[in-house]
Amino acid sequence: VTANGESGFLERLEGAVSSLPPAVLTDAYARLSTAYRFEDPAAALRSGPHAREAYLAARAPATYAAIGAALGEVAPHLGAPESLLDLGAGPGTASWAASEILPSLAAFTLIEADRPMAELGRRLAAASRLGTAHWINARLEGASLPESDLVLACYVLNELSPQARETVIRAAFRASRDALVLVEAGTPAGFAILRAAREALTAEGAHVIAPCTHEAACPMAGADWCHFAALLPRTAAHRQAKAVGASLETEKFAYLAVARGKPALRSKSRIVRRPMIRSGHVVLDLCAEDGLSRVTVSRRSGALYRASRDAAWGEAWPPDMT
Ligand SMILES: C[S@@+](CC[C@H](N)C(=O)[O-])C[C@H]1O[C@@H](n2cnc3c(N)ncnc32)[C@H](O)[C@@H]1O
């Protein structure tokens, strides 16, 4: 399961920036991207007059795809959550992805510090399942978080100071009745934030649902970092903002999902690199309770070999073959 744009979110994002001349969008995105990569990510939305529109055109489609991919892996472990709390909501990206993947969701609360961004998000959601969402214009630090079945914090933890981040992560878990899902960029820095969150949250009694299939110490060390990739279609506005022609983009992301209860079913391992399909065998890099390993599934393995040829980076392994 992934969010595939059925809700119309991508069209709405594109519609919201359609009045901007292409050159203005391209310039705004160049500034936004520089701010995220080399300056202060927490100030990126103020990097120019159209920074928020640039976010809508060229970042929100990618974060939406990544959050959708993460939630697709997490969904089988969730019950039927009815309420969602979206922290650092931006234009509501995570709520839109969750609304597609978790049809049981009926009540959405979004907390966003940047007032103009929250306003854009409100407008995007008009006459949709998110139309009745409750938007709170506040900073997460010190905000009182309403209890919700599912809490999401996506692409926001890197914008907080280390101290605020730890406080917000703990408060987010306390606010979650069922589960908390964190998504960050698939970079060493994004992963480091989630690795620290995993340690802090498991020490508080949280159970890891995904991507880890276990609660042993994380074996990713040194130059290795746990991340995945989501492939997404680029809208025309997205291509304009980035001044690129290619119609597909890959967004690398890292995520962590924890729950209050122990997951009923756990897969043995997860595929943590792109599978290498060779003639007569497939090589899989796996993470499991006993650490990282590389396994070769050969033609002799029959059904398991056939499954390995369809296996994708990020999926649990072995698949349920019943
Ligand atoms: C990179 S955007 C991510 C938006 C959305 N979650 C997504 O995944 O597309 C980060 C958002 O978090 C908001 N934000 C940053 N620091 C915040 C804070 N301390 N309190 C509330 N919102 C914050 C920013 O204004 C921005 O809209």
Side-chain angles (χ1 to χ4, degrees):
V1 203
T2 49
N4 59 12
E6 266 167 27
S7 62
F9 182 55
L10 296 175
E11 289 78 3
R12 285 170 188 249
L13 288 173
E14 196 167 31
V17 303
S18 61
S19 62
L20 276 190
V24 172
L25 198 55
T26 308
D27 180 57
Y29 178 72
R31 286 163 193 256
L32 180 76
S33 168
T34 302
Y36 275 133
R37 286 195 286 168
F38 308 116
E39 295 164 6
D40 177 9
L45 293 183
R46 296 184 296 281
S47 60
H50 298 293
R52 296 171 187 89
E53 284 90 342
Y55 191 88
L56 263 52
R59 283 305 297 147
T63 62
Y64 170 70
I67 298 162
L71 288 177
E73 291 300 315
V74 176
H77 299 285
L78 301 178
E82 290 175 12
S83 55
L84 175 75
L85 176 63
D86 182 351
L87 304 178
T93 328
S95 296
W96 280 91
S99 75
E100 279 193 34
I101 289 168
L102 300 163
S104 55
L105 285 172
F108 299 83
T109 304
L110 299 87
I111 304 187
E112 169 53 45
D114 185 82
R115 189 179 291 276
M117 183 56 114
E119 199 38 54
L120 280 171
R122 247 196 221 108
R123 264 186 267 145
L124 281 179
S128 79
R129 239 175 96 196
L130 298 185
T132 54
H134 180 43
W135 286 80
I136 301 174
N137 185 218
R139 294 191 63 79
L140 296 171
E141 302 89 330
S144 88
L145 306 183
E147 262 195 25
S148 305
D149 295 341
L150 177 62
V151 179
L152 306 180
C154 301
Y155 290 87
V156 63
L157 297 174
N158 69 317
E159 298 191 16
L160 307 180
S161 70
Q163 197 191 352
R165 188 184 299 146
E166 203 181 316
T167 311
V168 167
I169 290 170
R170 286 180 201 279
F173 181 58
R174 277 198 303 275
S176 67
R177 281 193 211 103
D178 185 3
L180 167 67
V181 181
L182 311 174
V183 183
E184 286 296 315
T187 58
F191 170 62
I193 290 174
L194 299 181
R195 189 189 164 114
R198 184 181 187 269
E199 274 177 32
L201 290 168
T202 49
E204 294 220 345
H207 294 283
V208 184
I209 317 179
C212 328
T213 55
H214 59 89
E215 283 169 28
C218 172
M220 293 274 178
D224 223 357
W225 74 98
C226 179
H227 66 290
F228 304 97
L231 192 66
L232 60 128
R234 283 190 177 127
T235 61
H238 191 159
R239 292 197 297 273
Q240 260 157 23
K242 289 196 163 171
V244 290
S247 57
L248 290 175
E249 173 167 304
T250 300
E251 170 74 4
K252 299 221 169 119
F253 66 97
Y255 73 104
L256 173 72
V258 299
R260 298 213 155 261
K262 223 183 171 112
L265 282 174
R266 266 204 175 119
S267 302
K268 189 167 176 298
S269 58
R270 187 168 305 275
I271 303 169
V272 290
R273 293 281 174 268
R274 203 179 293 288
M276 289 173 273
I277 300 178
R278 305 286 182 250
S279 133
H281 68 276
V282 176
V283 179
L284 298 175
D285 286 311
L286 301 174
C287 181
E289 183 148 30
D290 51 3
L292 297 170
S293 63
R294 175 165 281 191
V295 301
T296 300
V297 187
S298 74
R299 207 189 291 278
R300 283 194 302 277
S301 303
L304 197 62
Y305 169 67
R306 286 191 293 282
S308 73
R309 294 192 64 88
D310 293 331
W313 181 11
E315 288 178 357
W317 182 264
D320 182 1
M321 315 258 288
T322 52

